[in-house]
Amino acid sequence: MADPRRLAPRWRRLLLTAHIGASVGLLGTDATVVLLAVTGARGADPAHVYPAAELIGSLLLVPAALLSLLTGVLLGLLTPWGLFRHWWVTVKLVLTTAGAVLSLVVLTPALAGLADATGPVPFGPRLELVRDSGAASLVLLGALVLSVYKPFGRIRAAARAGSGRTPSPPAPPPAPPRPPAASRPAEAPEPARGR
């Protein structure tokens, strides 16, 4: 009987396609925000640059980040890769979770603040936006490299034991082979018992 926690190949491919699509969309959206942030830092009109960046960030970047995280978690739970069986999956989960949280907590509010600014925008906030969106792109590229190369191998059973999972006990050693009957010592007959 099939494991109910495992997806059929057709559904796994569909979920994987959604995950790759969301991740590629996220990378492209973040690259667009970086481009707009650099353009704004170089002196372009803030009234045009930052509202566009804020619109892209709130309508595309955040949903793509959340969809990438959701589909990644589902792939980990519903396929043999697991979430905590391979180092590359666990590291990618941490990076994706941190990226989604930071896009909600740091990047989107910064974009909104610059979009709502009236008058000239100081250089400091413009440079911070370049730094934050550039760092997000580097994190996404790191997750991409992890997905392609799958480094670091499996997480050992002992490490998983600390996470609440109990590793299966080791198999007992095989019994020593029994010598053939001809080479076994003859067994002494039992003494006769008195009547």
Side-chain angles (χ1 to χ4, degrees):
M1 187 166 129
D3 185 355
R5 294 175 298 162
R6 301 291 180 230
L7 289 177
R10 181 174 95 193
W11 294 109
R12 185 193 64 80
R13 284 191 299 271
L14 181 66
L15 185 58
L16 182 61
T17 301
H19 179 66
I20 292 171
S23 299
V24 169
L26 177 60
L27 185 58
T29 302
D30 194 64
T32 304
V33 171
V34 170
L35 178 67
L36 288 170
V38 169
T39 303
R42 293 185 66 204
D45 185 7
H48 293 100
V49 172
Y50 296 120
E54 193 267 333
L55 187 67
I56 291 169
S58 61
L59 294 181
L60 296 175
L61 191 130
V62 171
L66 295 176
L67 185 60
S68 177
L69 178 61
L70 175 67
T71 55
V73 168
L74 288 174
L75 280 168
L77 293 174
L78 299 173
T79 65
W81 286 109
L83 290 175
F84 303 105
R85 289 187 185 140
H86 300 270
W87 282 109
W88 74 271
V89 175
T90 304
V91 171
K92 188 177 171 194
L93 174 65
V94 169
L95 290 175
T96 306
T97 303
V101 168
L102 290 175
S103 70
L104 284 167
V105 175
V106 176
L107 193 57
T108 305
L111 288 170
L114 290 171
D116 293 340
T118 56
V121 176
F123 187 68
R126 291 185 289 161
L127 195 58
E128 287 175 12
L129 182 61
V130 171
R131 180 197 65 201
D132 293 345
S133 58
S137 287
L138 289 177
V139 167
L140 293 171
L141 288 172
L144 173 66
V145 168
L146 288 172
S147 296
V148 172
Y149 289 98
K150 298 173 178 49
F152 313 128
R154 290 179 64 93
I155 297 174
R156 295 183 182 208
R160 282 191 302 219
S163 67
R165 290 188 60 179
T166 54
S168 56
R178 228 181 126 140
S183 65
R184 276 191 254 152
E187 295 179 12
E190 289 187 26
R193 295 182 192 237
R195 292 188 177 185

